[in-house]
Amino acid sequence: MDRFSESGDIKLETRAPRDWVRTLSSYRDPSTVRSWFELAVTVGPFIILWALAWWSLSYSYWLAFALSMLNGAFLLRLFAIQHDCGHGSFFNNRNLSDWIGRVLGVLTLTPYDVWRRTHSIHHSSSGNLGQRGIGDVYTMTVAEYAQLTPLNRLKYRLYRHPIVLFGLAPGYLFLLKNRLPLGLMNGVKYWVSAMATNVALLVLVSIIMYFGGVMPIMLVFLPTTLLAATAGVWLFYVQHQFEDTHWDAEEDWQVHDSALKGSSHYVMPSVLQWLSANIGIHHVHHLYARIPFYRLPEVLRDHAELADGNRMTILESLGNSRLNLWDEKTKKLLSFSQAQTLQE
């Protein structure tokens, strides 16, 4: 479609979410060379920074800690590459993508096949009020919250508190919860994935402790892991938890509407966009998950309507942590105080 009017102004293309799918399919093919390059420029610095942090333990614990925190950004990027592998968008060869994902899953403390399944559920049910609970940040409606007992209201408030969501939850999710295939306990494949990842982690940690003792674990392994986990949880949160996000009752829910309208376009400085592998272009990703992360900026350059949709800056996103309840009447995510005002 011609994007320019006779005067030379950009014409915003207005179309239904479903109608974007054919357009976006033209961006789905990965470049094998580019994919290997992106993997190399992420794994390389990750290994080098890990080695430097371990070496610096002999001179300064603070320096080792600082290098480890920096390396958390590269571990986050490795998780984003694992994420693309899970969608089959990183390589044309699905088996190659899966095995790269499984190896990266050891570094990210994430059993790949378990995560791929729960993440698939997330994509196929995001925004569906009738299918909450797996692969999402659990969100109650105003009406559901009003019917809770005082004790259960307190439990939900604690669950949604920023200290829990962004302070305690990342460590719990990646260090503890990922050790078992919770939600998929009846599947042999998922037990194999979880236990194989656990064994590989045990071997890796044992080797580190044998050669370096406990300090590389405390000042390199854990800081790197926890920073990446915290950043990852925050990104996942702001990608779907914002005031004008999109939820529908199951009978009204449409996957394409929810994908485009219920996912944010998180605008970040270029260095953060690179380290997060363009995951902030989440509305496009959810609408067509087979697009490699390095091709997502192409979509925005070619389609101004998508570039302008659901934009959210870092400053704007900070207020999202106070939004906790979906109001089915106003179609907005509200804070507890806003919901209370509606009830009065």
Side-chain angles (χ1 to χ4, degrees), residues 68-116:
S68 300
M69 295 292 283
L70 174 61
N71 208 17
F74 286 93
L75 184 58
L76 173 66
R77 197 168 199 267
L78 286 176
F79 186 89
I81 291 175
Q82 175 188 323
H83 168 263
D84 263 27
C85 289
H87 284 293
S89 61
F90 201 61
F91 293 105
N92 281 317
N93 186 314
R94 185 67 203 227
N95 285 332
L96 177 60
S97 287
D98 285 342
W99 280 106
I100 293 292
R102 291 183 182 111
V103 172
L104 293 180
V106 176
L107 300 179
T108 64
L109 280 68
T110 305
Y112 173 77
D113 293 288
V114 176
W115 170 84
R116 188 179 68 174

Side-chain angles (χ1 to χ4, degrees), residues 22-68:
R22 176 173 294 181
T23 298
L24 296 180
S25 66
S26 64
Y27 298 88
R28 66 175 285 171
D29 292 330
S31 162
T32 301
V33 173
R34 177 70 183 272
S35 293
W36 280 115
F37 172 79
E38 295 291 350
L39 184 61
V41 297
T42 310
V43 171
F46 175 78
I47 294 174
I48 291 170
L49 284 170
W50 230 105
L52 285 174
W54 193 336
W55 171 79
S56 66
L57 285 170
S58 302
Y59 302 94
S60 170
Y61 286 166
W62 285 109
L63 177 58
F65 181 77
L67 289 170
S68 300

Side-chain angles (χ1 to χ4, degrees), residues 30 42 73 80 89-90 112 218 246 257 260 271 325:
T42 310
S89 61
F90 201 61
Y112 173 77
M218 299 301 296
H246 188 86
D257 288 353
L260 186 59
V271 63
L325 296 167

